[in-house]
């Protein structure tokens, strides 16, 4: 009996998770007029028109491209600086290491809203306002600490004897790090990339504040399209569905390592 | 640097913080201190005590500003004494 | 792992220091500068000392926003942590269904935060949303754009939908880490299901649960995009939480001094909370 109750509870919960997403899909295949005229549990006049509009109208497609550009920039920067730092934290003790590590974590916890005003003025004064790199750098606020935190966990799991053997064999630090150590923590890098991509992709406030036209991300295109012409629910739903795809793709690639990432509790 | 709108008091504030941090680092590099247990209910290193002292000072100032109309200088004076107490005996 | 003392490790940390200095230290110093001045335009500014702090600390609408924030954060914690543990206990332990449930669970986490708002907007509207129509059909008057309670409950439901999976995934990996021997010992003792949970599973989950509470509390404390899209903070100000309050003040009204003072207070709250949690986590790992 207990056995069955368990699975019923789980199924009810999963339905609770999936029904809102189904509803989004349902709406994305309907014309706005149909959505407003009649209430139906599935699209009666199935249409791909909403998707066609997103791919052909300039603002929408550009929004996706802009988002992807700064997300990739952010992930690259985060990984490049976080890899050596995570190695230092996992292998060495040095003055202030604990405090430094804590201070990095506070940046992961800090609300982006706190940094809104100075970011706005900073990037405007250095002429980076409304560029992709501005958003990428601003997102480093939380993605770099996150990457350091995750990578440190994975690196601590690699025995130190491997480093020592390599140094005895005459490897220099950069050569050891790139040819031996990085392949060993592939899984950890995958998980770090996953979370950097994800948190940069889902963030709205900073991306919205630091851009106006040229680097406008998809999330902003979506919020602005609401106020402009009254709400086209079908179009909005289709745009929402398309934002789910990158996350689903990335999770497919790191699916085997993700459980380990969560086991460390580092997100 | 124009957009940062520096003022003399804030510049002094950050200079003091920077001097404290740098001298603490040099001190700890030269002679690392072990964790110990003092007045505070957990064992701390000097760096931990500095952090606790500064953070609690910030909260004391907020309380002072929120609850009284007196000049914040009084609180600052008290906090310097508090910081010394925490560093020495905390 | 025993780590060796090596001050040259600072060189490896340096790149992170530079990037984070640019994205955290300099902005934070700037906020401090702003908070002690009345800045009318780049050439007209006055030093006002601690006036903005006095002003903010005694602002009733801010107290109200902080109160709403705390009630919201504790409510979602009270729902998400027990629910997360319960669902994690219900998860299958082997077979093909593990992978399927894990992916289904991870789905809400991957939805951009503003799209979470959009999904719930479409889902909960009383004219076109499945949830809204169903509840109204049951004879309950539900309209999240009109009633304060309806709006607040919808935001809570949305947050539960969005983030409980994180707690589930953390607890699930924590449960998987418990060796089978513990369960066998409990079975030999004839322990009830509850006793197994209370004395075998729960003690071994404290580590991941501390982290789950930390992450959920901090993230709910900075919630912005979801209610911004769903309710816009309304009706009235019933779903205006701290981040939105601050963003409106800073970018909407360009009230630089007040926003900066508020930012610092907000940051100090986060700093103290992070420190408490971090100390608990590191001490429990040592002990």
């Amino acid at each position: 009996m207990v056995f069955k109750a368990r699975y019923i509870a789980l199924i009810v919960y999963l339905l609770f998770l999936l029904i809102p997403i189904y509803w989004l899909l349902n709406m994305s295949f309907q014309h706005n007029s149909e959505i407003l005229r009649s209430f139906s549990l599935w699209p009666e006049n199935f249409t791909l028109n909403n998707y066609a509009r997103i791919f052909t109208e300039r603002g929408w497609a550009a929004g996706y491209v802009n988002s992807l550009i700064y997300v990739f920039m952010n992930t690259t920067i985060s990984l490049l600086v976080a890899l050596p730092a995570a190695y230092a934290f996992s292998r060495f003790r040095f003055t202030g290491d604990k405090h430094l590590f804590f201070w990095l974590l506070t940046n992961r916890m800090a609300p982006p809203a706190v940094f809104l005003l100075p970011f706005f003025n900073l990037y405007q004064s250095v002429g980076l306002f409304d560029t992709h790199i501005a958003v990428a750098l601003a997102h480093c606020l939380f993605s770099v600490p996150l990457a350091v935190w995750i990578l440190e966990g994975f690196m601590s799991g690699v025995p130190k004897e491997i480093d020592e053997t390599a140094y005895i064999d005459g490897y220099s630090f950069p050569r050891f790090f790139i040819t031996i150590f990085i392949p060993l923590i592939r899984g950890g890098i995958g998980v770090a990339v996953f979370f950097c991509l994800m948190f940069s992709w889902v963030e709205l406030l900073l991306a919205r504040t630091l851009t106006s036209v040229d680097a406008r991300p998809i999330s902003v295109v979506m919020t602005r399209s609401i106020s402009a012409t009254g709400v086209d629910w079908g179009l909005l739903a289709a745009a929402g569905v398309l934002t789910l795809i990158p996350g689903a793709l990335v999770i497919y690639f790191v699916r085997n390592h993700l459980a380990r990432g969560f086991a460390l509790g580092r997100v | 640097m124009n957009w940062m709108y520096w003022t003399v008091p804030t510049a002094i504030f950050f200079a003091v913080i920077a001097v404290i941090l740098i001298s603490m680092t040099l001190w700890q590099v030269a002679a690392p201190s072990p964790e110990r247990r003092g007045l505070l209910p957990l064992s701390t290193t000097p760096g931990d005590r500095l952090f606790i002292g500064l953070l609690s000072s910030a909260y004391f100032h907020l309380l002072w500003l929120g609850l009284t109309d007196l000049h914040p200088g009084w609180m600052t004076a008290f906090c310097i004494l508090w910081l010394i107490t925490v560093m020495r005996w905390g | 792992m025993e780590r060796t003392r090596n001050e040259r490790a600072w060189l490896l940390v340096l790149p992170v220091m530079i990037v984070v200095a640019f994205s955290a230290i300099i902005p934070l110093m700037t906020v401090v500068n702003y908070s002690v001045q009345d800045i009318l335009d780049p050439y007209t500014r006055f030093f006002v000392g601690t006036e903005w702090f006095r002003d903010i600390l005694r602002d009733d609408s801010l107290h109200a926003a902080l109160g709403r924030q705390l009630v919201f954060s504790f409510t979602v914690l009270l729902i998400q942590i027990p629910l997360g543990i319960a669902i994690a206990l219900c998860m299958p332990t082997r077979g093909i269904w593990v992978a399927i449930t894990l992916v289904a669970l991870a789905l809400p986490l991957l939805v951009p935060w503003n799209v979470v708002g959009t999904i719930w907007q479409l889902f909960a509207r009383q004219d076109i949303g499945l949830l809204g129509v169903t509840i109204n059909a049951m004879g309950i008057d539900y309209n999240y754009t009109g009633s304060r309670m309806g709006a607040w409950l919808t935001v809570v439901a949305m947050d539960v939908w969005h983030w409980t999976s994180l707690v589930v995934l953390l607890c699930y990996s924590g449960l998987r880490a418990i060796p089978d021997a513990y369960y066998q010992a409990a079975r030999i003792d004839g322990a009830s299901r509850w006793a197994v949970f209370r004395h075998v599973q729960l003690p071994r989950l404290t580590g991941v649960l501390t982290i789950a509470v930390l992450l959920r509390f901090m993230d709910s404390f900075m919630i912005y995009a979801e209610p911004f899209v769903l309710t816009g903070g309304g009706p009235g100000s019933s779903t205006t939480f701290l981040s939105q309050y601050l963003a409106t003040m800073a970018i909407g009204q360009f009230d630089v001094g007040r926003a900066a003072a508020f930012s610092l207070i907000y940051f100090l709250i986060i700093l103290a909370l992070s420190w408490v949690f971090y100390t608990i986590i590191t001490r429990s790992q040592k002990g």
Side-chain angles (χ1 to χ4, degrees):
Chain A
M1 260 324 278
V2 175
F3 179 82
K4 283 203 178 129
R6 265 177 61 173
Y7 287 119
I8 290 170
L10 185 65
I11 288 165
V12 168
Y13 181 73
L14 288 179
L15 282 178
F16 166 64
L17 289 187
L18 294 177
I19 288 177
I21 294 180
Y22 165 74
W23 200 246
L24 184 77
L25 267 174
N26 174 18
M27 294 241 163
S28 74
F29 295 122
Q30 298 181 36
H31 275 293
N32 200 39
S33 54
E34 190 192 340
I35 294 173
L36 292 174
R37 193 178 56 239
S38 64
F39 179 84
S40 65
L41 291 175
W42 54 87
E44 274 157 14
N45 302 311
F46 186 88
T47 172
L48 285 173
N49 202 7
N50 295 319
Y51 292 95
R53 274 185 65 191
I54 287 174
F55 284 117
T56 49
E57 281 177 25
R58 267 197 75 215
W60 287 105
Y64 283 103
V65 174
N66 288 334
S67 291
L68 287 173
I69 291 175
Y70 72 69
V71 164
F72 280 111
M73 280 178 162
N74 167 268
T75 309
T76 316
I77 299 171
S78 304
L79 263 196
L80 285 181
V81 298
L83 274 169
Y87 183 76
F89 282 120
S90 76
R91 289 295 190 265
F92 305 118
R93 273 188 311 131
F94 47 95
T95 309
D97 52 355
K98 262 173 51 196
H99 301 104
L100 204 60
F101 199 67
F102 168 68
W103 171 69
L104 278 177
L105 274 189
T106 60
N107 288 322
R108 156 75 181 80
M109 303 305 165
V114 168
F115 297 91
L116 212 54
L117 257 184
F119 275 166
F120 188 74
N121 286 347
L122 167 66
Y123 290 113
Q124 213 147 38
S125 78
V126 294
L128 287 177
F129 181 74
D130 200 16
T131 58
H132 303 101
I133 190 76
V135 183
L137 283 173
H139 282 179
C140 282
L141 178 69
F142 49 82
S143 66
V144 167
L146 193 66
V148 173
W149 201 24
I150 294 171
L151 289 173
E152 196 267 343
F154 277 89
M155 287 181 183
S156 297
V158 177
K160 226 170 73 178
E161 286 69 35
I162 291 179
D163 308 30
E164 282 153 9
T165 323
Y167 293 138
I168 291 168
D169 288 349
Y171 278 80
S172 65
F173 173 70
R175 187 153 158 250
F176 154 73
F177 198 72
I178 293 167
T179 58
I180 299 180
F181 198 69
I182 286 187
L184 278 177
I185 52 154
R186 271 199 317 271
I189 293 178
V191 174
V193 166
F194 169 70
F195 281 107
C196 287
L197 287 175
M198 170 184 141
F199 276 101
S200 183
W201 178 253
V202 298
E203 206 276 342
L204 170 73
L205 182 56
L206 291 175
R208 194 168 73 103
T209 308
L210 294 178
T211 58
S212 62
V213 182
D214 294 339
R216 191 164 60 170
I218 182 60
S219 45
V220 176
V221 179
M222 281 179 72
T223 54
R224 289 194 186 159
S225 70
I226 295 171
S227 53
T229 52
V231 189
D232 186 337
W233 297 107
L235 194 61
L236 193 64
V241 170
L242 289 177
T243 62
L244 306 185
I245 293 172
L249 277 180
V250 181
I251 203 172
Y252 175 78
F253 286 113
V254 294
R255 65 194 182 285
N256 295 325
H257 302 289
L258 210 56
R260 172 101 194 281
F262 277 113
L264 291 166
R266 299 182 170 194
V267 279
Chain B
M1 293 302 260
N2 239 342
W3 63 276
M4 287 180 81
Y5 296 133
W6 281 99
T7 64
V8 177
T10 51
I12 294 173
F13 172 74
F14 282 116
V16 170
I17 300 270
V19 167
I20 293 178
L21 282 180
I22 292 169
S23 45
M24 281 287 288
T25 311
L26 291 179
W27 173 36
Q28 289 302 310
V29 170
S33 329
E35 281 197 5
R36 67 165 166 82
R37 186 72 180 266
L39 291 174
L40 298 170
L42 66 170
S43 53
T44 50
T45 62
D48 297 334
R49 290 197 288 279
L50 178 70
F51 177 77
I52 293 169
L54 287 177
L55 187 63
S56 52
S57 299
Y59 272 88
F60 289 154
H61 275 97
L62 289 184
L63 277 178
W64 187 262
L65 290 172
L67 298 176
T68 72
D69 283 323
L70 301 169
H71 193 272
W74 298 106
M75 197 64 216
T76 311
F78 169 78
C79 281
I80 292 171
L81 290 178
W82 163 250
L83 196 59
I84 293 170
T85 317
V86 171
M87 288 301 290
R88 179 69 189 76
W89 292 286
Chain C
M1 185 188 309
E2 195 48 48
R3 294 173 299 152
T4 44
R5 193 165 189 94
N6 184 349
E7 297 294 345
R8 274 186 306 167
W10 266 97
L11 290 176
L12 296 173
V13 187
L14 206 60
V16 162
M17 292 291 290
I18 294 168
V19 170
V20 183
F22 193 67
S23 65
I25 299 181
I26 291 176
L28 212 54
M29 286 165 103
T30 312
V31 174
V32 174
N33 288 341
Y34 290 173
S35 71
V36 295
Q37 302 180 71
D38 192 358
I39 299 168
L40 300 176
D41 63 65
Y43 307 101
T44 325
R45 55 194 174 105
F46 309 99
F47 183 77
V48 297
T50 52
E51 281 316 303
W52 291 125
F53 288 94
R54 255 183 230 283
D55 197 42
I56 283 284
L57 285 166
R58 294 163 191 211
D59 184 345
D60 285 335
S61 66
L62 180 78
H63 293 166
L66 180 63
R68 272 195 300 276
Q69 180 72 68
L70 286 172
V71 170
F72 174 76
S73 290
F74 281 111
T75 311
V76 297
L77 271 186
L78 276 178
I79 299 174
Q80 289 176 357
I81 298 293
L83 183 64
I85 298 174
I87 299 296
L89 288 171
C90 291
M91 292 266 296
T93 49
R94 56 182 70 84
I96 184 166
W97 287 101
V98 177
I100 293 170
T101 35
L102 280 179
V103 169
L105 281 170
L107 257 178
L109 299 175
L110 296 163
V111 180
W113 295 345
N114 65 311
V115 179
V116 172
T118 307
I119 289 177
W120 276 78
Q121 205 174 22
L122 294 169
F123 187 55
R125 271 182 74 97
Q126 59 169 357
D127 51 349
I128 58 171
L130 183 59
L131 180 74
V133 170
T134 315
I135 293 183
N136 279 299
M138 290 190 297
I140 302 164
D141 185 28
Y142 165 81
N143 178 0
Y144 77 87
T145 54
S147 95
R148 289 168 158 265
M149 201 57 196
W152 192 82
L153 287 175
T154 314
V155 173
V156 170
M158 174 173 68
D159 202 70
V160 169
W161 180 84
H162 190 186
W163 286 112
T164 307
S165 293
L166 182 69
V167 184
V168 177
L169 291 170
L170 286 169
C171 288
Y172 179 71
S173 50
L175 285 173
R176 292 273 63 71
I178 302 176
D180 269 345
Y182 284 84
Y183 293 110
Q184 281 156 14
R187 208 172 301 135
I188 293 166
D189 290 347
S192 68
R193 174 118 186 83
W194 169 253
V196 171
F197 173 68
R198 177 69 193 79
H199 298 291
V200 178
Q201 292 173 320
L202 198 56
R204 279 167 199 278
L205 282 181
T206 42
V208 281
L209 277 181
T210 325
I211 289 168
V213 171
L214 166 76
L215 290 171
R216 279 316 302 130
F217 190 82
M218 293 304 175
D219 289 348
S220 69
F221 217 76
M222 56 164 113
I223 186 169
Y224 172 80
E226 301 97 314
F228 174 78
V229 173
L230 182 68
T231 63
S237 53
S238 52
T239 51
T240 306
F241 301 114
L242 286 181
S243 272
Q244 196 185 334
Y245 192 89
L246 176 54
T248 315
M249 204 193 282
I251 297 300
Q253 303 159 352
F254 269 102
D255 200 343
V256 176
R258 278 167 60 87
F262 180 32
S263 299
L264 282 178
I265 296 171
Y266 199 176
F267 188 72
L268 281 174
I269 298 175
I270 295 293
L271 196 59
L273 289 170
S274 307
W275 184 78
V276 170
F277 277 115
Y278 183 71
T279 310
I280 294 173
I281 292 172
T282 49
R283 310 257 149 179
S284 71
Q285 277 169 355
K286 243 187 269 172

